[in-house]
């Protein structure tokens, strides 16, 4: 087995964390049990480009139990938990190529390794693996049965590839499943982004003006949690409907140029580029803190911030860089503008990843079962898979729900009964 990780001696701590996460992933546990017996991936190589966390470790263990020969690489240079990577190699025999803070060249050389093992199935978080296949290994696309995509930004990239005719692999938009984005993006990102910001800065959120850029699933979750902790939340948006929703949820809504003047803490969760840029840094208060929880480190224009600064003090705390502007004001950038919840905290809690990764596992099996005739396009997760995951999650939470009666089923599918 080959691997490239920071230090194999970190394995025992990583194993404890993987086991701790497993306790909160009961649905994935049931899938693992079935996969161990049925071996749906026997003889298949599966390369996953995901955040290397304790939750991901449990996904990878599940796929391996199903017979897959696994290779795991990071989907972000800062999100790898080195102890988890070590345990996956030492305790579970999985090839991992991921080191926290790896540079861009190493990051992409690891991705190339995951491609060069010639996988039958791939899994992505942000589409870096699939886009590298399309750019540098186009011939290999023919032998890949399908690829799962975990996040909003990845699905946007893949839909753009499908639209301009360059997509060569059937892909599954796991992110777009309700069992994923309603919980993972909203409650997972909401809580873990607050967690990352607090771990990085130790600031009190109560009484702070917190500016949330983007009121999608992630933004809603983060805004909700900041409000709950006593912050005055301001939302910036470009979508009129989302802006009304934010206003009716009780937040102030304004353009970033206005919010920039009054914000104490800024967090981008848009999937967009240069959402906070020079014109905004120019009017920010002394001491403003700027973070990102969207997928790529492009939401904050860090280059302009660097050019505006007369001095940059890296690491005034772990994950905090101080930019001293020409007029003496200081702006603090967290985690180099990368996903704050993964760079400074531990990513989403296991309980929400249970649903996302159960959906990932079942869709990988679906790809193998439906490999003949699977159209090259972006596929949605079938309703029955979502329903299965949701029902088992409810069951694991000790909750039951009502069933439709025959009369209700008929009523809900008929137009005949009115006033
Ligand atoms: N931190 C994490 O762990 C994590 C988890 C899931 C998703 N993500 C990433 O977070 C980002 C957002 O995901 P989502 O599911 O909330 O997406 P979404 O599409 O539901 O929401 C994005 C919102 O941002 C708004 N927006 C776009 N450009 C903007 C701008 N210039 N100013 C203000 N608002 C703008 C859009 O109108 C939309 O409402 C994506 O990059 C996604 O991949 C991160």
């Amino acid at each position: 087995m080959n691997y490239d990780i920071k230090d194999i001696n970190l394995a025992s701590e990583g194993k404890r964390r993987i086991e701790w996460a497993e306790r909160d992933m009961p649905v994935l546990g049931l899938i693992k049990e079935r996969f161990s017996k049925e071996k749906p991936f026997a003889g298949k190589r599966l390369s996953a480009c995901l955040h290397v966390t304790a939750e991901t470790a449990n996904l990878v263990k599940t796929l391996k139990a199903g017979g897959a020969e696994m290779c795991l690489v990071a989907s972000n240079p800062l999100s790898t938990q080195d102890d988890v990577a070590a345990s996956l190699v030492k305790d579970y025999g999985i090839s991992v190529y991921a080191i926290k803070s790896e540079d861009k060249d190493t990051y992409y050389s690891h991705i190339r390794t995951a491609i060069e093992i010639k996988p039958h199935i791939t899994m992505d978080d942000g589409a870096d693996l699939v886009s590298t296949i399309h750019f540098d290994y186009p011939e290999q696309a023919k032998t890949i049965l399908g690829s799962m995509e975990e996040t909003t930004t990845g699905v946007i990239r893949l839909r753009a590839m499908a639209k301009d005719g360059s997509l060569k692999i059937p892909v599954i938009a796991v992110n777009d499943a309700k069992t994923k984005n309603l919980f993972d993006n909203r409650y997972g990102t909401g809580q873990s982004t607050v967690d990352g910001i607090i771990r990085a800065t130790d600031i009190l959120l109560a009484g702070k003006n917190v500016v949330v850029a983007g009121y999608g699933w992630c933004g809603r979750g983060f805004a909700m949690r900041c409000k709950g902790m006593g912050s005055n939340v301001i939302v910036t948006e470009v979508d009129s409907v989302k802006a009304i929703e934010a206003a009716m949820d009780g937040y102030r809504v304004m353009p970033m140029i206005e919010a920039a003047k009054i914000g104490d803490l800024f967090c981008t969760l848009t999937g967009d580029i240069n959402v906070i840029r020079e014109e905004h840094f120019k009017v920010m208060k002394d001491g403003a803190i700027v973070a990102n929880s969207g997928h790529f480190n492009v939401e904050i224009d860090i280059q302009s911030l660097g050019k505006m600064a007369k001095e940059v003090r890296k690491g005034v705390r772990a994950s905090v860089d101080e930019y001293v502007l020409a007029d003496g004001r200081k702006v603090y950038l967290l985690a180099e503008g990368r996903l704050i919840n993964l760079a400074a905290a531990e990513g989403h809690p296991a309980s929400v990843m249970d649903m996302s990764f159960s959906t990932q596992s079942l869709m990988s099996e679906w790809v193998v079962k439906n490999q003949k005739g699977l159209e090259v396009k972006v596929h949605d997760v079938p309703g029955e898979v979502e329903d299965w995951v949701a029902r088992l999650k409810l069951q694991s939470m000790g909750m039951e729900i009502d069933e439709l009666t025959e009369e209700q089923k008929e009523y809900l599918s008929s137009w005949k009964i009115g006033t």
Side-chain angles (χ1 to χ4, degrees):
M1 183 186 49
N2 294 318
Y3 58 87
D4 186 19
I5 58 171
K6 184 169 180 205
D7 181 359
I8 195 84
N9 296 315
L10 300 172
S12 60
E13 178 58 20
K15 186 158 194 266
R16 279 197 289 274
R17 296 195 29 228
I18 294 169
E19 286 169 355
W20 180 253
E22 191 173 18
R23 288 171 46 259
D24 241 350
M25 303 181 90
V27 181
L28 192 64
L30 287 174
I31 296 172
K32 185 165 153 237
E33 237 176 85
R34 179 170 68 76
F35 279 5
S36 311
K37 292 181 200 130
E38 297 177 6
K39 303 282 179 207
F41 308 115
K44 299 277 182 291
R45 284 182 297 278
L46 199 160
S47 285
C49 176
L50 299 170
H51 300 292
V52 180
T53 64
E55 293 75 25
T56 301
N58 282 296
L59 168 65
V60 170
K61 281 169 54 191
T62 301
L63 298 166
K64 189 176 179 203
E69 188 186 318
M70 288 299 309
C71 173
L72 176 65
V73 299
S75 58
N76 184 298
L78 279 189
S79 64
T80 298
Q81 297 169 359
D82 290 316
D83 53 358
V84 166
S87 175
L88 278 173
V89 171
K90 187 171 176 199
D91 304 313
Y92 301 103
I94 286 159
S95 290
V96 182
Y97 298 84
I99 301 169
K100 184 165 176 145
S101 301
E102 60 196 7
D103 60 22
K104 201 170 171 179
D105 286 348
T106 313
Y107 174 77
Y108 274 103
S109 86
H110 286 160
I111 287 185
R112 279 194 292 278
T113 305
I115 298 169
E116 283 161 13
I117 67 156
K118 299 206 177 343
H120 302 96
I121 303 165
T122 58
M123 218 173 246
D124 239 335
D125 189 326
D128 279 348
L129 181 66
V130 164
S131 58
T132 306
I133 293 171
H134 281 74
F135 282 130
D136 300 337
Y137 302 81
E139 277 306 300
Q140 224 175 289
K142 289 184 204 138
T143 56
I144 296 176
L145 305 176
S147 187
M148 268 44 66
E149 174 50 56
E150 170 75 8
T151 199
T152 313
T153 287
V155 172
I156 290 171
R157 292 177 82 189
L158 294 164
R159 287 199 197 285
M161 288 166 79
K163 195 171 167 200
D164 74 12
S166 44
L167 187 70
K168 292 185 163 63
I169 301 172
V171 290
I172 318 294
V174 173
N175 174 75
D176 293 0
K178 290 199 277 292
T179 41
K180 199 278 178 181
N181 59 44
L182 280 176
F183 306 98
D184 171 321
N185 298 28
R186 183 165 40 170
Y187 300 109
T189 309
Q191 176 172 316
S192 61
T193 300
V194 169
D195 185 13
I197 290 170
I198 292 176
R199 289 198 209 191
T201 60
D202 198 26
I203 57 165
L204 182 73
L205 283 177
K208 293 275 191 309
N209 289 338
V210 175
V211 179
V212 180
Y215 203 63
W217 291 116
C218 296
R220 285 180 186 109
F222 177 63
M224 183 202 315
R225 294 303 175 231
C226 290
K227 184 181 182 181
M229 293 184 82
S231 306
N232 304 307
V233 176
I234 298 162
V235 170
T236 72
E237 251 297 345
V238 290
D239 179 315
S240 49
V241 175
K242 301 255 180 66
I244 297 172
E245 189 188 353
M248 293 204 180
D249 284 345
Y251 307 115
R252 277 187 290 170
V253 176
M254 61 184 78
M256 182 59 84
I257 193 67
E258 296 306 320
K261 297 173 193 160
I262 51 178
D264 299 303
L265 167 68
F266 296 79
C267 188
T268 50
L269 307 102
T270 69
D272 199 357
I273 193 165
N274 295 335
V275 176
I276 299 182
R277 49 188 182 267
E278 186 172 351
E279 66 198 83
H280 306 126
F281 295 126
K282 273 187 182 157
V283 298
M284 278 183 189
K285 297 198 288 194
D286 181 29
I289 296 170
V290 184
N292 167 53
S293 206
H295 188 76
F296 286 122
N297 60 339
V298 296
E299 304 212 9
I300 302 165
D301 183 357
I302 301 168
Q303 247 190 332
S304 292
L305 182 60
K307 281 190 199 143
M308 290 168 77
K310 61 178 181 189
E311 189 191 346
V312 182
R313 288 173 62 214
K314 292 266 178 196
V316 289
R317 276 173 66 92
S319 309
V320 185
D321 295 337
E322 181 183 79
Y323 287 74
V324 186
L325 305 185
D327 59 6
R329 278 176 306 123
K330 290 171 181 158
V331 171
Y332 294 97
L333 176 69
L334 306 190
E336 300 167 20
R338 293 198 185 271
L339 293 160
I340 184 65
N341 61 331
L342 281 140
E346 293 168 69
H348 298 172
S351 179
V352 279
M353 295 317 291
D354 189 26
M355 280 188 282
S356 309
F357 285 165
S358 294
T359 310
Q360 283 277 14
S361 308
L362 294 176
M363 289 316 294
S364 306
E365 183 187 32
W366 185 87
V367 161
V368 174
K369 280 191 178 154
N370 293 280
Q371 56 181 282
K372 285 206 179 81
L374 201 56
E375 210 183 317
V376 174
K377 64 169 195 175
V378 181
H379 295 261
D380 285 325
V381 172
E384 61 270 20
V385 171
E386 295 220 44
D387 188 49
W388 190 89
V389 171
R391 280 181 183 277
L392 283 177
K393 189 69 184 173
L394 266 179
Q395 202 180 312
S396 75
M397 294 163 87
M399 283 183 244
E400 289 178 18
I401 56 171
D402 288 323
E403 296 278 343
L404 289 172
T405 63
E406 287 309 314
E407 182 192 36
Q408 288 167 340
K409 280 185 199 160
E410 196 181 325
Y411 176 74
L412 290 172
S413 58
S414 142
W415 55 271
K416 289 184 183 150
I417 303 174
T419 313

